[in-house]
Amino acid sequence: MAQINTCLKHTFTIFNILFAIVGGVIIGLALLCQVVTNVEGREDLEGRTGGLVALYVFGAITMMVAILGAYGAHKESKCSLIAFLVCMIIGTLLMLRAGIPTAIARPQVENILRAKLQDYLPLDDAPSDLQNMANSLQTSFHCCGLFSYTDWRTNIPQSCSCDPQMEEGQCQNIEYRDLLFQFAQTKSIYAKPCFPIMMHYILLFFDVLLGVVFTLAILALLGLVLSSIMIHQLRYPNRPTVLLSVPTIFAPAPPKYQELHNPPPY
């Protein structure tokens, strides 16, 4: 005989399906990040491997917890539901622990990154790995320099070159003095700097991350409530459903007196 309310069991099953879908999306994001960050010559991006592994593990754990909850509801297993409840409590605390500091740090990211990158200017004197990264950004985003083309001084690389006929509206003509022949030359380069474009994607990443973290926190809190109710039903299977009723102290009191009617005479 079923001990868990059927409607509650179906609701919990739908919840775990959504939870499993979120885990699959996280794994998909990890695959996408792996493809996007696999830039030629930059396979050893700092923190890339650790971040990808964390995404894969987190997505896999999310799907496993969803399967555990669905199994516990289907079999009405108290042990599985208690394990699911513990996972939801831990998950809620972890999501809040990660999401709140990230939300606080987001407005400061641009100023911190700007100050750090300005320490490497000019780019033609920067380390070779930073120059390679800048060239990759310029080729991918069609920009030149981090904050301006003057970041390269007069050694503007080929990755800044822009074809006015192919990329109309994205180019600008500049004059610079050639170091070899010592005469002014005109060159067409990308008009936009790379830093604003780069910050757009970084802040977008932070927004997506915050959305995922707080969505998972809400789902974990909802799973905590649903699993707690089901565990309660399994623990007290014969207890009737409690309905709200008006307390007896507020029941209408009988009248203090009643009007007496004399029977009609015969």
Side-chain angles (χ1 to χ4, degrees), residues 245-254:
S245 58
V246 180
T248 56
I249 58 174
F250 295 107

Side-chain angles (χ1 to χ4, degrees), residues 57-250:
V57 171
F58 189 72
I61 291 176
T62 302
M63 296 187 72
M64 291 173 61
V65 171
I67 294 172
L68 176 66
Y71 172 82
H74 179 70
K75 296 294 185 179
E76 297 190 359
S77 171
K78 188 185 296 184
C79 293
S80 299
L81 289 175
I82 290 175
F84 181 86
L85 174 63
V86 172
C87 291
M88 290 299 98
I89 294 174
I90 296 174
T92 302
L93 295 177
L94 288 177
M95 292 302 101
L96 294 177
R97 176 66 180 83
I100 293 175
T102 302
I104 295 174
R106 184 192 179 279
Q108 307 170 8
V109 171
E110 183 173 356
N111 292 332
I112 294 173
L113 188 58
R114 182 188 297 272
K116 185 174 182 179
L117 291 177
Q118 284 177 342
D119 292 337
Y120 292 103
L121 298 181
L123 288 175
D124 54 343
D125 285 340
S128 58
D129 58 341
L130 184 63
Q131 291 187 19
N132 292 335
M133 185 188 71
N135 283 317
S136 298
L137 289 173
Q138 290 169 168
T139 302
S140 301
F141 295 149
H142 293 184
C143 54
C144 185
L146 294 176
F147 306 100
S148 170
Y149 70 90
T150 57
D151 294 343
W152 293 100
R153 294 190 291 194
T154 58
N155 301 318
I156 299 176
Q158 187 63 29
S159 59
C160 282
S161 298
C162 179
D163 188 350
Q165 297 180 352
M166 299 293 295
E167 301 173 283
E168 184 177 356
Q170 300 185 35
C171 306
Q172 66 173 344
N173 294 324
I174 61 167
E175 291 186 357
Y176 70 100
R177 186 169 297 277
D178 188 272
L179 296 178
L180 181 61
F181 300 102
Q182 294 296 317
F183 59 86
Q185 291 186 351
T186 301
K187 186 173 185 177
S188 179
I189 63 171
Y190 293 115
K192 295 180 180 179
C194 295
F195 183 77
I197 302 174
M198 183 173 61
M199 281 308 307
H200 168 75
Y201 287 103
I202 291 176
L203 294 178
L204 179 62
F205 169 78
F206 267 82
D207 292 338
V208 171
L209 179 63
L210 287 173
V212 170
V213 167
F214 283 109
T215 299
L216 287 174
I218 293 172
L219 288 176
L221 187 61
L222 179 60
L224 187 154
V225 174
L226 292 175
S227 58
S228 298
I229 296 174
M230 289 195 297
I231 293 171
H232 178 77
Q233 290 187 356
L234 288 174
R235 182 173 295 177
Y236 304 103
N238 298 321
R239 176 171 294 185
T241 304
V242 178
L243 299 177
L244 293 178
S245 58
V246 180
T248 56
I249 58 174
F250 295 107

